[in-house]
Amino acid sequence: METKKFDVTGMTCSACVAHVEKSVRKLNGVEDVTVNLLTNSMSVNYDQNSLSALNIIESVQDAGYDAYLKAETPSDNDLKVNHAENEQLAMKKRVVLSFIFLIPLLYISMGNMLHFPLPAFLAGEKSALSFALTQLLLTVPVYIINRKFFSNGFRSLWKLAPTMDTLVAIGSSAALLYGIFAVFRIFNASLNNDSGIIHHYLHDLFFESGATILTLITLGKYFEARSKRQTSDALTKLINSAPQTASVIRDKKEIEIPVEEVVAGDLISIRPGEKIPVDGIVESGFSSVDESALTGESIPVFKQTGDKVISASINKNGFLTFRATKVGNDTTLSQIIHLLEEASASKAPISKLADRISGVFVPVVIVIAVLATFFWLISGYSAEFALSIGISVLIISCPCALGLATPVAIMVGTGKGAEHGILFKSAEALETGDKINTIVFDKTGTITEGKPEVTDIESIHYMDEKELLRICASLEKYSEHPISAAITRKAEDEKLDLYPVTEFTSIPGKGISGIINGEFYKVGNKAFISESIDIEEVEDFLFQLLQQGKTALFVADDENVLGIIGVADVLKPTSREAVEMLKSMNMYTVLLTGDNQRTAFAIQDKIGFDSVIAEVMPQDKDKIIQNLQAEGKKVAMVGDGINDAPALARSDLGFAIGSGTDVAIEAADVVLIKNDLVDVVTGIRLSKSVIRNIKENLFWAFFYNILGIPLAAGVFYLSLGWKLSPMFAAAAMSLSSITVVTNALRLKNFKPTKSKK
């Protein structure tokens, strides 16, 4: 058995997914098929001896869609056609062209009602024919531009599986056909000088109804197409973060080759500032390596002989040579790319409530319209009367309100979110937010500021705290380590003048030393200082710092420890408050970190997380999300680094911190521009409000249908003389749309959650 992945184009709803799956599944040799609407992708497990990828593509094409074999390796994505981008551009073109014709059509058709001036050749009953023909000429291009609704809609109807496109196709077709019928009636009445007929049909055209439906729903689909590009954009940015070449030492000569040509066992040299191209083990040299792009940890890691280095990390200040151990698709970066792509494709498409309802609603409406038409025909009424009844049923059931129910609420909701710095990328993100019950937080850069700061200064012996900081900063200003930057920043904040230093020495991985005012001082970790000085008198303070998850920096002279400076990645001001708010909403909160257990539990005590998962490797975050989902939880992930991207994509809802990496932002469903975790609370509250509003809108969309369809069908005509003309049917349809839009606009009153700090 073999598994192949395909890009599928042309799908618009859950029914389309079902068509594609059914068409492929019936092929002999297909074991399993999964189609994803969000990413327009398909994964097929099949017997390669029974059929080929071409057979699968042909079966998709037979279903009325198109398919392309997906690139085999991440790097091949640069060469393939970006179908999602093409789809968005095509939809944008359709929207623009539709509005070009719709705007003058609306002006002409509604000009009299709004007392707008019209040209003489369009005004009055004498110009009725030119008035009607002008509208027809403006309407036909809109139908041609959006012909895909009709091909998809009627195809799915033919297969007895109607979709939203079917509703659009039937409703707009009814409006167009009736409008053409009205034009012929006006033409015939003009020949016979029948002003009564002219007057009747002059305001009974409905061309603008069909054109408006097509244009507005196309606009909604354009926004959907735009959101579908996010996954491919994320993958492209992640791929581009990897170096393209490597300096390899072969036959005692250093040569530069494409990274794809590096093989396991190659000896590679890395200079300061260069990116590490593949995974490996250091053979010579020492340096600090910035792994934040993959691990999210802001403090560079000291590397020396025997240590592992990972692809896409940055060599900061030393010269290294290392032996390649993992190349190509086996590198850490490639594995994260694979996880991101797999997680994005595995998201189940969200079945639109309107699509599910349409599966029952459309056949019922068609049957009612046909039965009503035949009933009045066999009852002896004229064909015009019977046709008017049938078209009235179709027009009042036209899905304008149904089509607006979701996109208008989504548009207002996403706009309200953006107003407060919360960017929802899709309707799916808003819908999923309503179901979340578990929130997982990355630590560095998410609940913390992402850079070390001085938190404690403890001086002993003869030196006060400011002098201790001054001595330490004077030495640290010569170092490039992030902790050194934290020390010098603190000295600047305290407005301390630094001393000149002579005989400065740096011992990688341990500390630094130098002469200040004729006295020898050294700064470093416990191992460095304890080599020559007894540190027993500061053990208690050291223990306190370690219990709080802080890094301890010792300052000493020739004989004594002069003090300890504590450095930590400080918590964001609103982290605790945000977690408390989420817990009050019955959300289960989890801290996910690569730190040791002691540091992780110290943060849990400060913030109040329900649980902590510590010492997590970058590639394991995705598995943890899967484990939580396997327990039946609906999981949201909040993160900011490249290493968080697979987990953000795998989670039911991914929140990316706005100051995070581009890849994390692209992989997430929601972006928090203000970097404030309280916005996670606001986002979930907004999501719940929007979904509640959508359900209300769907109720109102069908309320008018339930009342209007019997009236349009003539149920009350014989007993009460009530008959709903196509004109009033269109008015009722418009009223339902107005109600839906007005209800959606109530979301503008939504107030964001405010921090008390």
Side-chain angles (χ1 to χ4, degrees):
M1 302 300 286
E2 184 177 8
T3 299
K4 290 281 189 183
K5 292 184 178 181
F6 301 82
D7 290 313
V8 181
T9 60
M11 298 188 298
T12 59
C13 66
S14 54
C16 299
V17 171
H19 290 337
V20 174
E21 284 190 352
K22 185 178 179 181
S23 180
V24 175
R25 201 180 294 277
K26 70 182 181 182
L27 293 173
N28 291 328
V30 171
E31 178 72 19
D32 188 35
V33 55
T34 303
V35 180
N36 186 285
L37 179 64
L38 178 65
T39 58
N40 281 339
S41 63
M42 175 177 67
S43 178
V44 184
N45 184 244
Y46 66 98
D47 183 359
Q48 63 268 38
N49 296 320
S50 301
L51 74 162
S52 66
L54 182 60
N55 299 138
I56 295 171
I57 291 172
E58 288 173 348
S59 71
V60 174
Q61 292 171 339
D62 289 341
Y65 305 91
D66 215 342
Y68 307 87
L69 194 61
K70 189 181 283 288
E72 293 291 336
T73 61
S75 60
D76 292 337
N77 281 282
D78 292 334
L79 304 176
K80 75 171 188 174
V81 177
N82 190 333
H83 303 296
E85 184 174 358
N86 290 343
E87 182 185 356
Q88 180 193 343
L89 292 174
M91 201 65 70
K92 183 178 181 180
K93 183 178 180 181
R94 280 172 57 183
V95 170
V96 172
L97 290 174
S98 295
F99 271 108
I100 288 173
F101 290 98
L102 178 64
I103 292 171
L105 173 62
L106 290 175
Y107 183 91
I108 292 170
S109 63
M110 303 176 71
N112 285 329
M113 288 186 290
L114 300 174
H115 304 293
F116 291 159
L118 288 176
F121 73 94
L122 296 177
E125 290 186 6
K126 290 183 179 180
S127 304
L129 189 58
S130 60
F131 178 77
L133 287 174
T134 301
Q135 289 190 50
L136 177 60
L137 290 173
L138 289 170
T139 299
V140 169
V142 178
Y143 277 70
I144 294 173
I145 291 164
N146 297 290
R147 59 190 176 276
K148 200 167 185 179
F149 283 121
F150 302 96
S151 60
N152 290 344
F154 288 120
R155 184 193 304 116
S156 60
L157 181 62
W158 179 255
K159 294 177 181 290
L160 302 181
T163 67
M164 195 66 170
D165 284 352
T166 308
L167 284 169
V168 176
I170 291 176
S172 53
S173 294
L176 178 64
L177 291 173
Y178 186 81
I180 293 172
F181 169 75
V183 170
F184 278 104
R185 293 289 285 153
I186 291 172
F187 175 72
N188 187 58
S190 298
L191 295 177
N192 298 319
N193 293 319
D194 189 340
S195 61
I197 293 292
I198 293 174
H199 180 79
H200 174 74
Y201 285 104
L202 185 63
H203 304 290
D204 211 10
L205 294 170
F206 309 122
F207 288 127
E208 77 283 358
S209 297
T212 301
I213 290 166
L214 293 172
T215 303
L216 289 180
I217 295 179
T218 300
L219 179 63
K221 290 188 177 293
Y222 162 69
F223 288 123
E224 288 180 18
R226 189 175 65 173
S227 71
K228 288 179 181 178
R229 290 183 55 192
Q230 306 308 320
T231 301
S232 58
D233 287 348
L235 287 171
T236 300
K237 290 187 178 181
L238 188 50
I239 291 163
N240 291 340
S241 71
Q244 302 302 308
T245 60
S247 297
V248 179
I249 301 173
R250 292 177 179 171
D251 299 326
K252 297 183 180 180
K253 293 182 179 179
E254 184 175 310
I255 57 173
E256 189 172 285
I257 62 173
V259 71
E260 292 84 6
E261 296 179 14
V262 176
V263 296
D266 272 342
L267 188 64
I268 301 171
S269 64
I270 296 292
R271 292 172 175 77
E274 291 183 343
K275 285 185 178 180
I276 294 172
V278 296
D279 294 8
I281 296 178
V282 177
E283 289 217 345
S284 65
F286 52 82
S287 180
S288 291
V289 175
D290 180 1
E291 297 179 344
S292 61
L294 291 169
T295 65
E297 299 302 322
S298 56
I299 299 176
V301 180
F302 178 73
K303 302 289 183 180
Q304 58 186 356
T305 303
D307 289 338
K308 292 181 180 179
V309 289
I310 55 178
S311 54
S313 53
I314 302 172
N315 182 29
K316 297 293 286 184
N317 48 29
F319 180 84
L320 295 174
T321 59
F322 71 93
R323 189 73 62 179
T325 56
K326 292 181 180 180
V327 299
N329 290 333
D330 295 327
T331 65
T332 302
L333 177 64
S334 293
Q335 288 174 1
I336 290 178
I337 290 172
H338 174 71
L339 285 171
L340 175 58
E341 187 175 36
E342 184 187 65
S344 297
S346 68
K347 280 188 175 179
I350 297 174
S351 298
K352 300 292 190 296
L353 184 57
D355 282 330
R356 296 200 298 270
I357 294 172
S358 70
V360 176
F361 178 68
V362 177
V364 170
V365 167
I366 295 171
V367 169
I368 291 173
V370 172
L371 290 178
T373 302
F374 277 105
F375 172 81
W376 291 109
L377 278 173
I378 63 176
S379 297
Y381 288 82
S382 67
E384 182 181 333
F385 180 90
L387 184 62
S388 173
I389 288 287
I391 291 179
S392 292
V393 172
L394 289 174
I395 287 178
I396 199 169
S397 65
C398 191
C400 193
L402 186 60
L404 289 171
T406 298
V408 173
I410 293 294
M411 190 178 297
V412 177
T414 51
K416 197 68 181 176
E419 180 183 331
H420 298 289
I422 304 166
L423 301 184
F424 285 91
K425 292 185 177 179
S426 65
E428 287 81 3
L430 271 170
E431 185 170 342
T432 305
D434 181 52
K435 304 169 186 173
I436 296 299
N437 54 32
T438 302
I439 309 232
V440 178
F441 291 88
D442 172 53
K443 181 186 78 86
T444 306
T446 301
I447 66 165
T448 67
E449 295 289 359
K451 62 180 181 179
E453 298 287 349
V454 173
T455 57
D456 303 84
I457 301 177
E458 179 76 7
S459 64
I460 54 179
H461 291 293
Y462 61 85
M463 191 170 290
D464 63 26
E465 291 183 0
K466 286 197 173 183
E467 184 63 17
L468 181 75
L469 177 62
R470 190 179 183 188
I471 293 289
C472 185
S474 297
L475 288 167
E476 292 287 6
K477 72 179 180 182
Y478 294 97
S479 174
E480 297 178 356
H481 199 282
I483 287 181
S484 303
I487 298 293
T488 53
R489 266 199 312 274
K490 181 67 173 177
E492 289 174 4
D493 293 342
E494 297 288 338
K495 296 182 171 52
L496 300 178
D497 294 326
L498 303 186
Y499 295 116
V501 177
T502 58
E503 299 183 29
F504 176 82
T505 304
S506 175
I507 303 172
K510 291 187 175 182
I512 54 179
S513 63
I515 304 295
I516 297 176
N517 295 332
E519 297 288 335
F520 176 80
Y521 296 98
K522 57 183 177 179
V523 176
N525 58 27
K526 177 182 176 181
F528 179 49
I529 302 300
S530 61
E531 287 176 353
S532 57
I533 298 174
D534 184 7
I535 63 169
E536 183 178 353
E537 59 185 322
V538 293
E539 287 282 8
D540 289 342
F541 185 68
L542 175 62
F543 179 76
Q544 291 176 27
L545 290 179
L546 296 179
Q547 283 292 102
Q548 297 170 34
K550 298 176 181 178
T551 298
L553 202 63
F554 289 76
V555 182
D557 59 16
D558 264 335
E559 300 177 352
N560 300 296
V561 175
L562 304 177
I564 297 181
I565 296 177
V567 179
D569 189 359
V570 297
L571 298 172
K572 290 180 178 177
T574 58
S575 293
R576 181 179 179 84
E577 187 178 11
V579 170
E580 288 175 348
M581 289 176 179
L582 291 168
K583 290 171 71 174
S584 71
M585 297 167 64
N586 297 319
M587 298 285 172
Y588 185 74
T589 57
V590 181
L591 173 65
L592 204 60
T593 178
D595 286 340
N596 58 49
Q597 295 278 0
R598 179 185 293 171
T599 300
F601 287 132
I603 293 173
Q604 182 183 22
D605 290 340
K606 291 179 182 178
I607 302 295
F609 290 103
D610 292 308
S611 69
V612 166
I613 304 174
E615 300 177 8
V616 179
M617 297 298 291
Q619 57 268 33
D620 293 335
K621 292 186 177 183
D622 174 71
K623 293 178 184 177
I624 289 166
I625 298 297
Q626 290 186 66
N627 292 339
L628 290 169
Q629 290 171 328
E631 296 172 8
K633 294 181 169 66
K634 287 291 183 181
V635 184
M637 171 74 187
V638 188
D640 73 318
I642 287 179
N643 63 306
D644 299 321
L648 286 168
R650 175 76 66 183
S651 64
D652 297 286
L653 188 67
F655 286 90
I657 301 298
S659 60
T661 63
D662 287 345
V663 173
I665 289 171
E666 293 291 350
D669 305 292
V670 188
V671 180
L672 308 177
I673 298 298
K674 296 187 292 186
N675 309 318
D676 189 343
L677 291 187
V678 172
D679 286 343
V680 174
V681 182
T682 300
I684 291 176
R685 283 185 50 241
L686 178 60
S687 175
K688 291 180 180 295
S689 297
V690 169
I691 298 307
R692 183 170 58 250
N693 190 275
I694 288 173
K695 291 176 180 177
E696 292 168 354
N697 287 347
L698 290 172
F699 166 79
W700 287 113
F702 283 101
F703 177 76
Y704 289 96
N705 290 127
I706 293 168
L707 291 181
I709 288 175
L711 186 61
V715 171
F716 305 106
Y717 183 72
L718 293 177
S719 59
L720 300 174
W722 293 354
K723 176 181 176 294
L724 190 66
S725 71
M727 182 174 67
F728 285 107
M733 180 190 71
S734 299
L735 183 59
S736 66
S737 300
I738 292 169
T739 304
V740 164
V741 172
T742 303
N743 186 57
L745 290 176
R746 292 192 305 112
L747 286 169
K748 287 185 174 290
N749 298 323
F750 176 85
K751 302 294 182 186
T753 304
K754 294 290 186 182
S755 171
K756 296 176 182 177
K757 295 184 178 181

